[in-house]
Amino acid sequence: MSRFWSDVVHGLTPYTPGEQVQIPGLIKLNTNENPYGPSPKAMAAMQAALNDGLRKYSDPNSTAVKDAVARRFGLTREQVFVGNSSDEVLAHTFHALLKHELPLLSPDISYSFYPTYCSLYGIEAVQVPLNERFEIDINDYARPCGAIILANPNAPTGIALPLERIEALLAAHPDQVVVIDEAYVDFGADSAIALLGRHDNLLVIQTLSKSRSLAGLRVGFAVGHPDLIAGLERVKNSFNCYPLGQVAQAGAVAAIDDVAYMEQTSQAIIASRAWLTAQMAALGFETLPSHANFIFTRHPQHDGATLAAALRERAILVRHFKAVRIDQFLRISIGTDEECARLVEVLRDIL
Ligand SMILES: *Cc1c(COP(=O)(O)O)cnc(C)c1O
């Protein structure tokens, strides 16, 4: 607290990210980072971008990145917005598109940054409970609202909503923006980008942090109707005209173009996820069906917080949320096969 703070600062509830701690030999399964490195082509492109050109400002419009996204998904440049992480793209989205007379709807259990943006931008929100299987039921969204935001697959549950459900939601709300946050879509879910041609109220947001293994580069993007993108550009250009430097733009283009590498590493993670889920079941854990690079799991006889603490003592970090309905669960990122095997071994020991 400080007497110099403006009023809005007192009312904020900042997001708490998963810890980034330095423990020797630590197995870090708490922030959904990718265990495989970024595309070698992206690394080479970033090395090549370290040159005298850094003297100058970067392209404010990240045109090359927009064109890479447009190429990948068969879109036009005008349908693409690029930001310094998808968290930044989300922030501009809340600011530009989600503040209306009627409340914003989102699931009660979802990415916990959404309520933070609501508090920052003064957006009234209603949290719609997931059903008893921790799924989003779109019938629960049939109510007056200003806009809707969902993560698909949802976080931290990992459960994916089928595309036809998303299309029904879009059709039921033709005058509201529906935002689909697809941070984890490449790990086995279907992207709503396929629906863009038919729905001008759809905005899809993706990140290079998870399936492109570039969490440290901070690049995200949104795709949607050019009018939605133009709204985002107005906010972005009232905030920071140069959100991406040249190195990030070069790395992002190469990473997006290297589809084969992304698919190969994502397939490896999907295979490890299946192996880990089976091993966890053998230990008595109940795991929600995941389409993400993490699992959300609980043990009927062991408290979630206690298990997370016991793992931490043995140098394995997982994420535990002290929140209603989910405080018995652990969210465990999929690591390398060695890391997954070590986790199972340590859990067997703890149990
Ligand atoms: C990781 C994550 C993000 C943020 O990604 P960044 O681009 O690293 O900011 C956004 N949404 C969800 C649901 C995530 O899990």
Side-chain angles (χ1 to χ4, degrees):
M1 278 258 256
S2 160
R3 70 186 198 284
F4 301 113
W5 286 5
S6 52
D7 284 346
V8 67
V9 177
H10 292 279
L12 296 178
T13 321
Y15 178 76
T16 319
E19 323 173 67
Q20 297 288 355
V21 289
Q22 303 297 334
I23 301 175
L26 178 74
I27 296 184
K28 195 171 170 305
L29 305 175
N30 66 327
T31 52
N32 299 342
E33 287 148 339
N34 195 313
Y36 305 107
S39 154
K41 290 178 183 166
M43 305 278 252
M46 290 188 276
Q47 293 283 357
L50 295 174
N51 59 46
D52 179 64
L54 286 167
R55 199 169 52 74
K56 295 189 276 177
Y57 283 102
S58 57
D59 171 9
N61 298 312
S62 299
T63 313
V65 183
K66 288 186 176 185
D67 288 351
V69 173
R71 263 197 304 283
R72 162 111 174 98
F73 298 109
L75 304 171
T76 65
R77 187 186 293 169
E78 292 68 35
Q79 289 174 289
V80 185
F81 179 80
V82 173
N84 185 335
S85 79
S86 71
D87 283 342
E88 186 186 84
V89 175
L90 282 164
H92 291 332
T93 300
F94 275 73
H95 206 175
L97 303 172
L98 304 185
K99 185 172 180 165
H100 300 283
E101 288 281 288
L102 287 167
L104 170 68
L105 303 183
S106 67
D108 63 337
I109 297 163
S110 194
Y111 188 35
S112 39
F113 226 131
Y114 303 155
T116 299
Y117 294 130
C118 288
S119 89
L120 177 60
Y121 295 119
I123 298 168
E124 195 207 327
V126 170
Q127 300 200 333
V128 181
L130 298 181
N131 72 16
E132 69 291 345
R133 289 188 302 280
F134 295 94
E135 297 160 347
I136 293 166
D137 182 343
I138 62 148
N139 297 313
D140 298 332
Y141 291 75
R143 59 171 94 185
C145 62
I148 296 172
I149 183 164
L150 309 175
N152 191 46
N154 196 14
T157 63
I159 296 176
L161 192 62
L163 224 47
E164 72 266 12
R165 303 273 78 201
I166 292 174
E167 179 137 50
L169 189 68
L170 289 162
H173 296 276
D175 297 319
Q176 283 80 34
V177 173
V178 176
V179 178
I180 309 293
D181 178 354
E182 295 188 343
Y184 302 103
V185 75
D186 295 318
F187 302 107
D190 292 324
S191 174
I193 294 175
L195 308 175
L196 274 187
R198 297 200 289 279
H199 299 277
D200 65 358
N201 56 333
L202 169 63
L203 188 80
V204 178
I205 299 178
Q206 292 192 4
T207 175
L208 271 58
S209 297
K210 312 285 169 45
S211 61
R212 271 46 165 248
S213 196
L214 285 168
L217 199 64
R218 314 307 298 130
V219 182
F221 59 87
V223 296
H225 189 279
D227 293 349
L228 298 182
I229 300 305
L232 292 173
E233 295 288 354
R234 286 173 74 101
V235 169
K236 172 238 166 198
N237 289 321
S238 306
F239 179 84
N240 178 4
C241 284
Y242 306 97
L244 261 65
Q246 283 135 15
V247 177
Q249 293 190 33
V253 168
I256 293 164
D257 281 343
D258 197 351
V259 177
Y261 182 85
M262 183 274 283
E263 287 181 343
Q264 179 199 324
T265 47
S266 297
Q267 281 307 322
I269 289 167
I270 290 169
S272 306
R273 181 180 72 204
W275 181 86
L276 181 61
T277 305
Q279 296 293 312
M280 297 295 282
L283 293 175
F285 281 87
E286 298 164 358
T287 303
L288 300 185
S290 173
H291 283 85
N293 68 338
F294 58 84
I295 55 169
F296 205 47
T297 189
R298 68 179 159 196
H299 197 291
Q301 279 96 44
H302 293 270
D303 175 63
T306 311
L307 280 176
L311 284 169
R312 195 176 202 284
E313 271 173 27
R314 292 158 178 84
I316 299 181
L317 280 194
V318 300
R319 192 92 198 256
H320 174 261
F321 298 91
K322 282 191 204 72
V324 281
R325 291 185 79 189
I326 57 169
D327 67 344
Q328 290 309 304
F329 282 88
L330 301 177
R331 192 198 66 189
I332 305 176
S333 311
I334 306 298
T336 59
D337 286 341
E338 294 70 34
E339 289 171 328
C340 292
R342 174 78 187 142
L343 169 74
V344 171
E345 186 186 313
V346 169
L347 275 173
R348 191 175 292 126
D349 188 48
I350 292 170
L351 301 181

